[in-house]
Amino acid sequence: MRKVTFPHVGESYRTFKMLLNDLGNEVILPPRPSRRTLNLGVQHVPEFACLPLKILMGTYLETLERGANVIVTSGGVGPCRAGLYAEVHKKVLHDMGYQVEMIVFEPPRLHPINFIRNVHKLNPARLSIKAIIECIKRAWRKLQALDNVEKATHVIRPKEIRQGDTSRTYKKVLEWIDSAYTMDEIVEAEKAALEELHNIPQDPERMILKVGIVGEIYVLLEPASNLEIEEMLGNMGVEVERSMFLTGWTRDNTWKETVQGMTVKEAAEPYLPELIGGHGRDSIGNTVLYAKRNFDGVIQLAPFTCIPEIVARTILTSVSKDYNIPVLTFFLDEQTGKAGMATRLEAFVDLMKRKKTKIKQNKLLPASSF
Amino acid sequence: MKAYLGIDVGSVSTNIVVQDEAGAILAGLYLRTRGRPVETLQAGLKETAEKLPTGIQICGVGTTGSGRYLAGVIVGADVIKNEITAHAVAASHFISDVQTVLEIGGQDSKIIIIRDGIVVDFAMNTVCAAGTGSFLDQQASRLGIPITEFGDLALQSKHPVRIAGRCTVFAESDMIHKQQMGHSLKDIVNGLCEALVRNYLNNVGKGKEILPPVVFQGGVAANAGIKAAFERALGMEVLVPPHHNIMGAIGAALLAKEEINHSQKASRFKGFSITKLTYRTSSFECNGCPNNCEIAEIYEEDRVIGRWGARCPKWDIVQEELH
């Protein structure tokens, strides 16, 4: 019997589980990455490779233990080694003796045949094309609902009166969306979830800082890989806006590039006119856009040794100076201690607060006036 | 007389300062933490209490350093601040127009960029501790030179040898190699100072605009060899403030004063009598979810006064009860 699994990326597993089930697959859910995941991962892949390779390796081993034998993952184009990770994982797993089948989705916009073949492989129920499209539409709507609810927590958490309310409510409403199946149910669950979140007692008077988050996609989308930085910032009174969500990224790579995608490229143009792989150019473009929108600061998240983000970091020094916006970079690796990150975040929040108070007294010009 | 207490519990040293309203230092202590933050803090507070002139009333307490939360619950702090803010505040207190702060401590090093009195940028070493106090300590003891003489020895050198400063492990092999080739000790020591400065500027100081006045503080600022190497590399004067090794604690005391003046509340300080209480720390693994958080607790007598390490608020209840 084929049992299908896939990488754990934030809460997106709720959608993929539904879609794969609809197409007639038995699904083994990936567990949330933990210390054990990392320990398993680092044992079997090269030490100098980046964190996503290690976490995914650990995740696959954990799901294989539970009986999975088909892994669905994404490939990639452009000069970032993560595009090869699916092949590396396959080789390592085969060497270890796992008879695992790897189904790798390349961006359909560039590889339409690959997409059709892969969908066919994952359709044991032999649904018609029309039925498949219906399933994908529903899954897409669910993914949007998950993203929208997460975005709401980023706005509400810094204002909550009782610390922890948002995180608790978020956990609860995720289950509502999880159990919604038909299009109507998904729309209704999303509405109820957003209402429930907005009902959390909030302090409208609090001074809220706005911080944009840029960087490499996996460490941005998987809170378990970035020490839950968004939650930590929320608890410090910071509203975060992440530059990347799975829905936005998928759209840019599936149908056609969105207006947002184009704007980011344009914004990065004066600093970096070409693609350097991964999300290096996006990090620069988004920082420029956040500065233009008067954000108080930008945080860049990158896996340790990630070349595109190292290049971006060096360029961000100039962006930070030109637009007078503070930028803080975190290179993430195997550390699980939060203290170091908390210290830096606290200092960064202090810095932004002092700057903001100064702007209010009309002494310093806001970032957008440059 | 009104006074403020500042405590900096770092990886290598624990510093305690008592400052009066005007900012004069009434007592200042620099102790080795030796991996026992609670014991060291209690001993330090006891010594501070003995040193203080009579009639001193502690009106506010601030803690900083990596052990700031631990110290904060033990003494009853009014303000618990990260070490970057504390160091910046202290540097501005002594040199009001300071624009750059170089700080090198036991296991971390940081650079703070200040413009018009506010911190505009900072950086801390991330994945590597090359070029911090612990490494200097280690090398000094390997060469059999007391750490206090290390800097003066470097100053006697005219021709520093080049040592790789990227990684402390390779720096050590490089040093041994140069020693075996017959270079003099003072040139090697000076070469090491230059390597550390080079590494600091390339790593922590990368992309930062270093403008004078430059203040150099932290335990390593006592090393005249490093100070001279900084001056050569930057081409500008580097100032070492008089209390360079307890600047974090001074910053914490200044922040406590600011906080009390602002809130107009009475201090939460529990008094020097806490040196007589017994504190016990323990830890356990929470099995509530796959995160398996490692929770650390601290007991004052038989009561839990603080818990850390949880990724969710499950174990935070104690903190709420305290406030």
Side-chain angles (χ1 to χ4, degrees), chain B:
Chain B
M1 191 170 50
K2 277 186 166 182
Y4 299 90
L5 179 66
I7 300 170
D8 179 357
V9 180
S11 56
V12 172
S13 72
T14 296
N15 312 320
I16 301 172
V17 152
V18 178
Q19 242 181 338
D20 70 9
E21 198 85 34
I25 313 280
L26 303 174
L29 271 188
Y30 179 94
L31 303 165
R32 293 262 162 175
T33 311
R34 301 192 325 276
R36 300 175 190 84
V38 181
E39 269 174 50
T40 314
L41 179 61
Q42 281 188 295
L45 283 174
K46 198 169 165 223
E47 203 180 324
T48 308
E50 285 161 5
K51 269 191 180 174
L52 283 182
T54 49
I56 296 286
Q57 190 208 348
I58 300 292
C59 299
V61 183
T63 60
T64 187
S66 47
R68 61 188 179 281
Y69 290 103
L70 184 72
V73 296
I74 292 177
V75 296
D78 301 299
V79 56
I80 299 177
K81 268 284 172 203
N82 62 82
E83 46 273 42
I84 293 156
T85 305
H87 275 283
V89 165
S92 304
H93 176 72
F94 288 101
I95 291 126
S96 57
D97 58 343
V98 57
Q99 299 211 78
T100 309
V101 180
L102 315 172
E103 202 270 346
I104 306 185
Q107 273 181 14
D108 63 30
S109 51
K110 41 187 147 328
I111 186 166
I112 309 169
I113 305 295
I114 302 175
R115 296 288 181 267
D116 302 321
I118 67 165
V119 177
V120 293
D121 199 3
F122 69 86
M124 250 172 119
N125 59 336
T126 46
V127 280
C128 171
T132 57
S134 300
F135 176 62
L136 279 179
D137 257 3
Q138 223 180 62
Q139 292 312 316
S141 73
R142 194 179 64 82
L143 298 170
I145 314 165
I147 186 74
T148 43
E149 289 167 24
F150 202 87
D152 294 324
L153 189 64
L155 289 184
Q156 292 166 20
S157 144
K158 291 272 182 300
H159 307 285
V161 288
R162 191 180 164 93
I163 288 169
R166 227 12 329 220
C167 162
T168 56
V169 177
F170 291 135
E172 183 167 332
S173 8
D174 215 17
M175 273 171 67
I176 293 172
H177 181 65
K178 297 276 153 82
Q179 255 172 281
Q180 315 295 49
M181 275 166 59
H183 287 282
S184 76
L185 200 56
K186 57 178 194 267
D187 287 343
I188 291 173
V189 165
N190 199 17
L192 184 63
C193 291
E194 294 207 327
L196 292 196
V197 166
R198 213 165 43 232
N199 185 47
Y200 174 94
L201 292 174
N202 286 337
N203 186 355
V204 184
K206 183 163 64 191
K208 306 275 181 261
E209 194 184 18
I210 298 176
L211 294 178
V214 177
V215 172
F216 179 25
Q217 56 198 42
V220 176
N223 191 316
I226 302 269
K227 175 181 178 276
F230 263 125
E231 288 181 329
R232 283 198 297 275
L234 295 172
M236 54 181 82
E237 194 194 357
V238 170
L239 307 162
V240 175
H243 303 283
H244 63 86
N245 59 348
I246 52 171
M247 291 294 267
I250 293 175
L254 290 166
L255 285 162
K257 189 174 93 177
E258 211 178 278
E259 171 72 22
I260 293 293
N261 285 343
H262 177 73
S263 69
Q264 294 292 330
K265 280 185 191 151
S267 174
R268 281 207 283 263
F269 183 46
K270 296 183 192 166
F272 285 105
S273 57
I274 55 158
T275 54
K276 296 190 193 86
L277 300 177
T278 45
Y279 291 91
R280 186 164 57 82
T281 51
S282 66
S283 65
F284 62 91
E285 205 167 83
C286 169
N287 296 317
C289 79
N291 276 337
N292 295 342
C293 294
E294 218 171 81
I295 318 285
E297 310 183 285
I298 173 150
Y299 287 81
E300 181 180 272
E301 301 292 331
D302 290 323
R303 199 168 61 99
V304 183
I305 56 166
R307 282 199 190 105
W308 295 271
R311 292 193 163 193
C312 76
K314 183 174 174 182
W315 298 102
D316 284 359
I317 314 145
V318 193
Q319 303 276 5
E320 281 170 21
E321 282 166 1
L322 279 175
H323 292 166

